[in-house]
Amino acid sequence: EILAANAQDLEVARSSGLATAMIDRLALDEERVEAMARGVEEIARLADPVGTVLAEWERPNGLQIQRVRVPLGVIGIIYESRPNVTSDAGALCLKSGNAAILRGGSESQHSSAAIHHCLVDGLRAAGLPEACIQFVPTTDRAAVGYMLSGMSDWIDVIVPRGGKSLVARVQQEARVPVIGHLEGNCHVYVDRAADLNMARAIVMNA
């Protein structure tokens, strides 16, 4: 089901002249689907973070204070062409006790919908509410705007994952808290004993 849906996305992407690098990020094969499944299984094996006491101390008046991990609530995740983000984000939100509303890029709409269908099957099999991982079923860009500014009663935090323009838009338009960053640092240190051809390739890629 996932590979068939991905084939639809790839056909549209190639016919619309999408860049080769974007098509590679979009493309799925059996190995990549298996890697997604392994990723979900690895997340499932992680220790339950909810309720973990990170720090505790006592005030001079005897008041006990703890810093405890708790779910954030409903997390809206807006991402671009990588369909594997659907499984990663859904599984991470579930593991941390949060509900998720996922809005993938239009290039990966069919693939992401098929992956979401598999997640819902898993939720159903586990006896969990199917609605705790939701997928926005439209490619209309207005849906992003609505998530950012019209759903503050239902979404507790937005997480953008994608390029600079996406993150900038989310930070500018969101009416709920955003976990994201626009700029980052990329440092490469080359040891004197390094293979210089390899180092050059790494630096150019970085």
Side-chain angles (χ1 to χ4, degrees):
E1 177 186 351
I2 293 174
L3 294 180
N6 187 246
Q8 286 182 274
D9 287 332
L10 289 174
E11 183 179 349
V12 173
R14 291 188 181 107
S15 65
S16 63
L18 200 65
T20 303
M22 290 285 285
I23 289 175
D24 181 62
R25 286 199 290 269
L26 175 61
L28 296 174
D29 55 22
E30 289 187 8
E31 185 177 344
R32 286 184 174 183
V33 172
E34 180 59 32
M36 282 192 293
R38 284 198 306 272
V40 172
E41 291 166 352
E42 288 168 9
I43 291 169
R45 287 194 293 268
L46 293 173
D48 186 354
V50 178
T52 302
V53 177
L54 301 175
E56 56 184 322
W57 61 94
E58 183 177 333
R59 299 290 297 154
N61 64 358
L63 178 66
Q64 299 283 337
I65 299 175
Q66 290 184 329
R67 185 182 301 132
V68 183
R69 284 191 174 127
V70 298
L72 295 172
V74 178
I75 301 178
I77 302 178
I78 301 171
Y79 52 100
E80 292 180 327
S81 61
R82 295 181 188 270
N84 62 293
V85 175
T86 306
S87 61
D88 291 345
L92 286 167
C93 287
L94 182 68
K95 183 68 181 187
S96 53
N98 297 286
I101 298 177
L102 310 175
R103 203 292 185 174
S106 57
E107 307 90 354
S108 61
Q109 182 72 8
H110 296 97
S111 307
S112 295
I115 294 166
H116 174 255
H117 185 262
C118 294
L119 292 175
V120 170
D121 285 346
L123 292 169
R124 189 183 303 116
L128 295 171
E130 296 175 22
C132 63
I133 302 176
Q134 298 180 38
F135 181 73
V136 177
T138 177
T139 59
D140 190 338
R141 289 176 61 84
V144 173
Y146 187 65
M147 285 181 70
L148 297 177
S149 60
M151 295 187 66
S152 56
D153 288 340
W154 299 282
I155 294 179
D156 296 292
V157 64
I158 292 278
V159 179
R161 181 170 176 186
K164 184 175 180 179
S165 61
L166 171 66
V167 178
R169 180 189 176 191
V170 168
Q171 290 182 332
Q172 289 166 6
E173 296 182 21
R175 296 296 176 265
V176 294
V178 174
I179 299 175
H181 60 87
L182 265 179
E183 306 288 354
N185 292 321
C186 188
H187 300 293
V188 177
Y189 298 92
V190 181
D191 186 83
R192 70 177 63 196
D195 178 325
L196 292 183
N197 287 328
M198 180 186 292
R200 184 182 298 112
I202 291 171
V203 169
M204 292 301 295
N205 182 54

